[in-house]
Amino acid sequence: MNITSDVKDAKLTATVTIPAADVDAIIKKAYKAAAKQYRFPGFRAGKAPRPVIDSALGKDAVLAQATNELIGSNEGNVLNELDIVPVKEGDYQEIDLCADGTDYTYTVEFTLRPSAELSSYDAVEIEMPPAEVTEAEIDQQVDMLMGYHATFEDVERAVEGSDYVTVDIKNVANAEALAGEGRVIAMGAGHLPKEFDEGLLGMNVDETKTISWTPEVEGAEEASVEVTVKGVKERKLPELNDEFAKTNFGFDGVDAMRDAVKLEIESDKSSQLPQLKENRCVAKLAERLQLDEMDEDYEQSVFQELGQNFLQSLSARGMSLDGWLQANRISSEDFIADLHRQANDVARESLALDALARELKVEVSAEDVDGEFERAGIEDVEASKAQFVADGRMPAVRDSIRRSKAVDWLVENAKVTEVDEAARAAEAKAE
């Protein structure tokens, strides 16, 4: 197989030539399949000669089948040879029928993900929590535990930023999922649009107001609801003392409880900080991507992959998408919009890592590929590699390795400023 290619405007046009010997083998296979599939009077199954098959089915029909097989069986090899991961199916242009004893040449166009540059290739600067446990982090965890014993008291005042508010919500426009009576809203929880929380602030019991906002999705229409406040509750925490710690948490006292919380946070940090650092480094790098608007085809391919992964996750837990949406009170429109936002973020991060890998001139060796399969726990690496090549999935493996190497460089060279984020959050809340 011989391949020549040309790339222009994120479109790769490849001209593929398959040797006559391979063409003859595929045509022979097609005739053999036709002889087995159809009944030809006077001949046993699979024994009808080509002239009989041509007369009964038409020569072009068999050659069309052979041509489809010829192109389809070679697509994985073409993708592997070109080392590309198209964002959609190839566009096969001006396909002619193959013929005996002749090389077969065809042209296919693949849409590639965009290639963008970064505004800077210097090491990123990020903030990270300290490796050591801070008192503010212990306080934060203790407050969370105490929250399980919180009580809620009715108050006769206007809604404040930390209240729990019972409301009746009527849909005015494009907000069907929020409508309902007796809904309890935790102020500042971040589950609803910030305009909704801001609209509730200062409202009194039995007061009605119309709150409007526009979802942060391109092309989204303004949403609007009519809200009536039915009740306002203030969250009260009990006093934490040695007796309370012993009775409700099983510790000898407050100090013992805080020591136990510290050990738990230390364990969490040891396992979570490396991934947190990686995530923040990649997110910071993506901010440098010089791409005003994401390519629709690439965003859609990432969207479909994220959606498929999410559905597989739900299926593994024995849940349907409709059931999950109802349980979380999320409309299908909001779910799709959020998934598109995630896809856009993932696409930008991937393109940023691609740009960094190009700048670093990252290479992928055969040993790197073998290691990727071995780490996946695959026993017969060679057989799996051969299948990946046949399916056209090997370029995606190499892409993943290149990005992983770029991430390793990014994390290793990041300039980190340690910040006690729990203390900062506590100060902001106090203000």
Side-chain angles (χ1 to χ4, degrees), residues 344-363:
N344 190 279
D345 290 342
V346 171
R348 294 188 69 86
E349 291 177 352
S350 297
L351 294 180
L353 289 172
D354 290 342
L356 180 60
R358 289 194 302 270
E359 177 69 15
L360 297 174
K361 296 180 171 56
V362 172
E363 296 183 355

Side-chain angles (χ1 to χ4, degrees), residues 219-264:
E221 297 181 358
E222 184 181 66
S224 183
V225 294
E226 181 184 276
V227 182
T228 301
V229 174
K230 308 302 290 184
V232 181
K233 291 181 181 292
E234 186 176 71
R235 181 172 178 263
K236 296 284 189 180
L237 291 177
E239 179 186 356
L240 177 59
N241 51 40
D242 289 342
E243 183 61 30
F244 191 89
K246 185 173 184 178
T247 302
N248 293 277
F249 296 107
F251 297 106
D252 290 339
V254 174
D255 289 343
M257 178 179 176
R258 291 180 66 85
D259 288 341
V261 167
K262 180 179 180 180
L263 289 175
E264 182 179 351

